Amino acid sequence: MSSRKLVVEADGGSRGNPGPAGYGALVRDAVTGEVLAEVAESIGHATNNVAEYRGLIAGLTAAAQIDPSARVEVRMDSKLVVEQMSGRWKIKHPDMVPLALQARDVADGLGPVSYGWIPRNRNAHADRLANEAMDAAARGEHWVRKVEETPGEPEPPPSSPGPSTSTPSWAPPSGTPMTTVLLRHGETPLSTEKRFAGTGDVPLTANGVAQARAAALALKDRGLGAIVTSPLSRCRATAAEVAAVTGLDVRVEDGFRETDFGEWEGLTFAEAGKAWPAELKAWLADPEVAPPGGESFAHASRRVRTALDKLKVRYREQTVLVVSHVTPIKLLVRDALGAPMTALYRMHLDVAALSSIDWYADGPASLRAFNDVHHLET
């Protein structure tokens, strides 16, 4: 039996019960919290319960594809499904019986499987996937999202618009969004020379501190409810300047750290290209490719998305300042726009620049500002 433990988070729903329905599920590594697989699908006209069971089946199936012998913990906000699958409640509705049997068949092919109920606000990632599927079902589209990280199975190519087979069209959101105000850290010795600055802990220059203070003054009256920062010192120092003028505490979120550039840390593009010409060319052409000893943009995207999901749960309908780096901010913008990963190569972000995104619970995100540096003008 494998010693590995996986967590399945699943959800499903319909607009009308019955109505346009869909499900969403993901699989995490229980130790690291990393998202290993995502799956979602619009399923036409169905009830909430049918959609929830379909989400469970999809999540268990994805876990089995990653490691069929793993121990699995299922987390859902459907008390009905959790209690029925745990054997504490009888399955009375005839439509649920075949779905429950199918879920048990998949679970029997895994290691020990346990089921636990969680409140909806702790199931935000799966809920978001399910809502994307329901949006597609409401438009009459058959929409599928499937991203898996399994040995020998690459993710979709970066030239595609995303992992879904049909890109959802825009629909007007409603309600109050969570707004992320994104602040890139101030100037550092490496940024002035345009050198790779990843997970190395370089400090701000004196000018970088001044830039952080200028950004802080610009943010003083923005109605911030929280400050979240990358763990690296250049971001923490920038966040501290905003905290000083707003009186807010600073929360560290590791998922917003910069990409690990491995052997290229501290080098210029020219220096990296001279030492690793083929590797640099491949990296510039494909977000799935990592620098030697480093991290790919695709991998960074998964942890940034997980960090964003944490914000959506913790700071619902609030305005949150996220102090981060070039790559995480670009990844958030890309995600908001539904753009391909290759869009990362077509964005420019200055030090101490501000960007802003509204994230709606029931609709698409909205990019409100990008690379704003007016506060740095003297």
Side-chain angles (χ1 to χ4, degrees):
M1 181 183 298
S2 170
S3 61
R4 188 177 193 182
K5 183 177 180 181
L6 302 175
V7 174
V8 170
E9 299 171 13
D11 197 11
S14 69
R15 305 265 167 83
N17 199 29
Y23 67 77
L26 59 138
V27 182
R28 296 185 189 274
D29 184 285
V31 176
T32 66
E34 180 183 356
V35 177
L36 304 176
E38 288 183 347
V39 60
E41 184 180 6
S42 60
I43 57 173
H45 195 84
T47 65
N48 285 331
N49 293 341
V50 167
E52 287 163 346
Y53 262 109
R54 289 286 300 275
L56 170 62
I57 293 166
L60 289 171
T61 301
Q65 291 171 345
I66 293 170
D67 188 345
S69 60
R71 295 173 294 137
V72 176
E73 178 187 354
V74 176
R75 300 172 183 172
M76 298 183 69
D77 57 57
S78 169
K79 193 169 184 65
L80 174 76
V81 174
V82 167
E83 294 298 314
Q84 288 180 343
M85 291 302 298
S86 299
R88 291 186 290 268
W89 289 5
K90 291 184 178 180
I91 303 174
K92 298 180 180 179
H93 197 290
D95 290 347
M96 298 302 106
V97 173
L99 292 171
L101 290 175
Q102 185 179 353
R104 285 172 181 161
D105 284 344
V106 179
D108 286 345
L110 289 157
V113 179
S114 62
Y115 300 86
W117 177 85
I118 56 174
R120 180 168 294 276
N121 64 1
R122 288 179 53 199
N123 204 28
H125 194 147
D127 179 70
R128 170 172 59 81
L129 293 171
N131 271 285
E132 289 180 21
M134 283 185 275
D135 288 342
R139 294 190 298 270
E141 299 175 4
H142 179 236
W143 176 82
V144 177
R145 176 186 181 90
K146 188 174 184 182
V147 179
E148 296 178 354
E149 183 183 6
T150 54
E153 294 183 14
E155 293 185 7
S159 58
S160 67
S164 62
T165 58
S166 174
T167 304
S169 59
W170 188 86
S174 62
T176 302
M178 179 195 76
T179 298
T180 51
V181 177
L182 310 172
L183 172 60
R184 185 188 171 193
H185 60 78
E187 178 189 271
T188 72
L190 295 186
S191 69
T192 59
E193 298 181 6
K194 300 187 183 305
R195 295 181 179 273
F196 283 100
T199 55
D201 219 3
V202 294
L204 296 179
T205 63
N207 187 47
V209 174
Q211 291 172 337
R213 289 173 180 166
L217 292 175
L219 293 167
K220 183 178 180 180
D221 299 319
R222 286 285 292 269
L224 299 179
I227 301 173
V228 177
T229 182
S230 155
L232 299 178
S233 62
R234 55 193 185 272
C235 285
R236 294 175 74 132
T238 302
E241 297 296 334
V242 184
V245 301
T246 60
L248 295 169
D249 293 331
V250 177
R251 185 184 187 94
V252 175
E253 173 52 60
D254 186 64
F256 290 127
R257 70 184 184 279
E258 181 57 288
T259 305
D260 184 350
F261 293 114
E263 298 292 335
W264 299 345
E265 182 75 20
L267 302 182
T268 64
F269 267 76
E271 291 167 344
K274 183 176 181 180
W276 289 276
E279 290 83 354
L280 184 65
K281 183 178 180 181
W283 178 74
L284 289 171
D286 187 352
E288 296 286 344
V289 174
E295 176 187 28
S296 71
F297 286 154
H299 184 274
S301 178
R302 288 189 283 272
R303 62 171 168 80
V304 169
R305 185 176 294 173
T306 298
L308 174 64
D309 285 332
K310 291 180 183 178
L311 296 189
K312 289 179 177 179
V313 172
R314 187 173 289 123
Y315 304 114
R316 178 181 170 87
E317 298 184 357
Q318 296 184 51
T319 297
V320 185
L321 175 68
V322 178
V323 184
S324 190
H325 311 262
V326 169
T327 307
I329 292 173
K330 286 184 178 181
L331 286 167
L332 290 169
V333 171
R334 182 207 73 87
D335 194 46
L337 295 176
M341 285 290 285
T342 49
L344 297 181
Y345 304 124
R346 294 169 172 83
M347 301 182 204
H348 174 79
L349 197 68
D350 290 301
V351 288
L354 288 166
S355 303
S356 180
I357 303 172
D358 288 344
W359 305 92
Y360 290 89
D362 63 344
S366 178
L367 179 65
R368 302 297 299 272
F370 180 72
N371 200 39
D372 182 0
V373 291
H374 284 91
H375 52 282
L376 302 181
E377 296 176 357
T378 56

